[in-house]
Amino acid sequence: MVDTVGQRVDGHHPVTQSEKLVIGASSLGTVFEWYDFYLYGLLATYISRHFFSGVNETTAFILALGAFAAGFAVRPFGAIVFGRIGDLVGRKNTFLVTMGIMGLSTFAVGLLPGYATIGVASPAILVALRVLQGLALGGEYGGAATYVAEHAPQDRRGLYTSFIQTTATLGLFAALLIVIGFRTALGEETFGSIGWRLPFLVSIVLLGVSMWIRLQLSESPVFLKMKAEGATSKAPLTEAFGRWGNLKIVLIALFGAAMGQAVVWYTGQFYALFFLEKMLKVDGATSNVLMTVALGLGTPFFVIFGWLSDRIGRKPIIMTGCALACLTYFPLFAALTDAANPALARAQAAAPITVVSHGADCSFQFDPVGRNKFDARSCDIAKSWLAKNGITYSNREAPAGTIAAVRIGGETLVAPDPARVTGGARKAAITAYQDRLKAALTAAGYPAKAEGMNAVKVVAILWFMVLLVTMVYGPIAALLVELFPTRIRYTSMSLPYHIGNGWFGGFLPTTAFAMVAATGDIYYGLWYPVVLAAITLVLGLLFLPETFRRNIDG
């Protein structure tokens, strides 16, 4: 059906060319925000060197990752603060504020003096800037998704909001390209000393462009209609979370949709990258290029699945993505090992590694503060070097009092006994033992770096993981918008999204790495996304309503 001027009319409202333009502009602005957010993670190595240089290298990197995680931790609080503002005063002005905070915080990182110049104030200011970024992003996504959905025709909300869903991947894609470009143009030495600041400083240009674009936008017609009718909420937080009827939907959205979506997203786009570098010994630059290609090939499917969700519903696509993740992650990562480092895969099959020890003598091989030397027990000495180097091993229980040993194929290497060697002698014995382990691994065919990579196969595997990301992420903005009434929509949808993605997703790499370190199995960390995706699958199938035919004007 069309009106007298040829504009489309359906159950929502006509869509003009200018509205299509501002929806695109809104998405572009969100790309820039994600660029700012991910830049920190990509440059964590350089940040640890410049801002946390007062401690040892390992601790510095852990602290840098901790500061990165702080941005995820505060995202739900940003959702609450800015969601409330968005429901009270409007969508447009709220995400203008969040964009300003994000852009200025990112630019400030590029100017911030390092530890050598201003001491402990440097990492303290850095963490504060990271927290501001997280708060801003917590308010940005809900505003952009709500704004776009409230401009879209009723039967195209999945398609229109899917462009917002591409922004996180495009932001990462842009950050990867800019970092690769500066590293290539400047060379590693110059980039490492000063050039790493340039991607942060470039963000001021992106901020200016984004702010100009968003200033051209009009307020959401749904919000304006509600405001004209005097129907805006006076207490959106109370309505959203203080009343069981709406709180129940928030919880269903979190555990029956956002949690599973988050772990599938972070496994496919972040943990896979970490796995390539840490476990499979692929150098960072090559890993970035491979992931960039996979992202480029996969990104159009955000839009495809968003469009498809307007035809068959949001729920079937999201649930199918979670189900496929549960079924395929273990074989996919095993195939990734075989494709990225076939020499390692052959060595693992021909000469498996076993640590023989008494379990009660072994510490948890994960050190988030970088203080544990793991040298007080023979089991710790045997396992710590393997864990640090991402070497997979199995455990075999031995009687109490047994001195731990590492079996590599047919060779057994008994660890030093800390009860018999102390002080400098212990340190020398541990160093000598680690050298023996390294030599034995080399002799057994374990490569020091990836060898014989099949790049095409690696990209294909990464692409399939990204495809699963697009299935769960492409339709979810429309789903979350449609679950809640206009008067508390910004607040209600933002919190489950950012708890899911900021906490369950954002802490996935750290949690999965801890699980790997604790067990010695490089695939064990995959149980984290598989179990959470399975929980979402069950709860989603049982309790999550289908929403794609809902009218969201009310």
Side-chain angles (χ1 to χ4, degrees):
M1 177 180 177
V2 294
D3 65 6
T4 55
V5 292
Q7 293 176 327
R8 193 172 184 278
V9 178
D10 53 31
H12 194 64
H13 62 267
V15 179
T16 65
Q17 287 300 117
S18 62
E19 285 178 330
K20 292 180 181 179
L21 178 62
V22 298
I23 289 169
S26 174
S27 300
L28 183 60
T30 308
V31 169
F32 295 154
E33 291 225 33
W34 281 110
Y35 164 85
D36 289 345
F37 193 75
Y38 288 138
L39 201 57
Y40 184 102
L42 293 176
L43 298 174
T45 300
Y46 304 98
I47 286 170
S48 69
R49 186 184 307 160
H50 288 274
F51 296 109
F52 297 98
S53 55
V55 294
N56 66 68
E57 182 178 348
T58 300
T59 303
F61 187 68
I62 291 171
L63 291 174
L65 291 179
F68 180 56
F72 291 99
V74 300
R75 279 170 58 179
F77 301 102
I80 292 172
V81 172
F82 291 108
R84 178 180 181 274
I85 295 172
D87 281 327
L88 289 173
V89 304
R91 291 44 166 138
K92 173 187 171 181
N93 291 331
T94 302
F95 60 48
L96 281 173
V97 172
T98 61
M99 171 161 286
I101 293 173
M102 175 67 83
L104 292 175
S105 298
T106 304
F107 179 69
V109 172
L111 297 176
L112 182 63
Y115 186 92
T117 305
I118 60 174
V120 72
S122 180
I125 296 171
L126 180 69
V127 171
L129 292 172
R130 185 64 186 165
V131 167
L132 286 174
Q133 285 184 323
L135 290 171
L137 190 59
E140 164 66 22
Y141 176 84
T146 300
Y147 178 82
V148 171
E150 291 178 348
H151 273 85
Q154 185 165 305
D155 64 345
R156 294 186 184 178
R157 277 196 299 268
L159 174 63
Y160 278 54
T161 56
S162 69
F163 287 97
I164 290 293
Q165 302 309 90
T166 68
T167 60
T169 298
L170 291 175
L172 174 60
F173 188 74
L176 282 167
L177 286 179
I178 288 178
V179 168
I180 291 170
F182 277 123
R183 288 176 72 167
T184 302
L186 299 175
E188 286 297 323
E189 183 176 351
T190 302
F191 186 81
S193 62
I194 191 68
W196 65 271
R197 293 181 179 273
L198 294 177
F200 288 100
L201 297 177
V202 164
S203 68
I204 197 66
V205 178
L206 303 181
L207 173 63
V209 172
S210 302
M211 292 293 284
W212 178 83
I213 290 173
R214 288 199 168 179
L215 284 170
Q216 315 306 310
L217 304 180
S218 58
E219 182 54 87
S220 156
V222 176
F223 181 84
L224 290 176
K225 177 176 179 288
M226 180 182 66
K227 188 175 181 180
E229 294 171 351
T232 55
S233 175
K234 305 301 181 185
L237 293 180
T238 300
E239 286 192 44
F241 311 122
R243 299 176 183 175
W244 174 244
N246 197 75
L247 178 60
K248 178 176 67 175
I249 301 301
V250 170
L251 294 174
I252 292 172
L254 172 58
F255 295 108
M259 181 175 71
Q261 166 262 304
V263 296
V264 173
W265 179 21
Y266 279 83
T267 300
Q269 291 192 184
F270 297 99
Y271 188 67
L273 186 61
F274 163 82
F275 190 86
L276 280 173
E277 294 184 28
K278 180 68 175 177
M279 307 302 181
L280 303 186
K281 316 299 182 186
V282 180
D283 69 272
T286 301
S287 297
N288 286 345
V289 170
L290 292 170
M291 181 56 74
T292 300
V293 174
L295 289 173
L297 294 173
T299 296
F301 287 89
F302 286 109
V303 178
I304 291 172
F305 285 118
W307 168 83
L308 185 61
S309 76
D310 287 326
R311 302 295 180 269
I312 67 173
R314 326 296 185 204
K315 182 175 173 177
I317 298 172
I318 295 172
M319 295 302 109
T320 300
C322 287
L324 288 174
C326 294
L327 293 172
T328 63
Y329 272 165
F330 282 98
L332 279 174
F333 276 82
L336 189 61
T337 300
D338 186 63
N341 195 345
L344 175 63
R346 289 193 299 270
Q348 289 174 343
I353 300 171
T354 304
V355 175
V356 182
S357 63
H358 180 54
D361 293 334
C362 301
S363 300
F364 181 61
Q365 293 289 317
F366 184 62
D367 186 18
V369 296
R371 293 182 178 178
N372 198 331
K373 296 182 180 179
F374 295 114
D375 62 357
R377 303 171 183 177
S378 62
C379 181
D380 291 345
I381 294 171
K383 287 185 174 183
S384 61
W385 188 85
L386 297 173
K388 181 180 178 181
N389 288 276
I391 305 296
T392 191
Y393 60 87
S394 59
N395 293 279
R396 180 177 175 183
E397 185 67 17
T402 300
I403 303 302
V406 177
R407 292 181 180 174
I408 304 174
E411 185 175 358
T412 300
L413 295 88
V414 179
D417 183 359
R420 297 185 178 183
V421 288
T422 59
R426 177 188 294 184
K427 183 177 180 180
I430 291 173
T431 300
Y433 182 66
Q434 292 173 345
D435 289 342
R436 290 169 56 205
L437 286 174
K438 184 176 181 180
L441 287 171
T442 301
Y446 282 82
K449 59 182 181 179
E451 295 179 3
M453 176 189 295
N454 183 333
V456 173
K457 188 175 179 181
V458 170
V459 169
I461 294 167
L462 294 176
W463 171 81
F464 184 77
M465 291 189 206
V466 173
L467 186 68
L468 298 183
V469 174
T470 65
M471 291 185 71
V472 298
Y473 198 55
I476 202 162
L479 171 76
L480 293 174
V481 167
E482 291 160 349
L483 281 172
F484 302 103
T486 304
R487 58 192 285 115
I488 54 172
R489 178 171 295 138
Y490 198 150
T491 304
S492 297
M493 72 156 292
S494 294
L495 189 64
Y497 174 83
H498 285 293
I499 290 178
N501 288 274
W503 292 359
F504 290 112
F507 290 105
L508 183 150
T510 302
T511 304
F513 175 70
M515 294 168 68
V516 169
T519 61
D521 181 356
I522 61 173
Y523 304 111
Y524 193 77
L526 294 173
W527 281 113
Y528 178 87
V530 166
V531 169
L532 293 190
I535 292 172
T536 288
L537 178 63
V538 172
L539 295 180
L541 289 174
L542 290 175
F543 302 110
L544 186 68
E546 182 53 74
T547 62
F548 77 115
R549 297 191 188 281
R550 287 187 179 180
N551 188 321
I552 66 169
D553 284 357

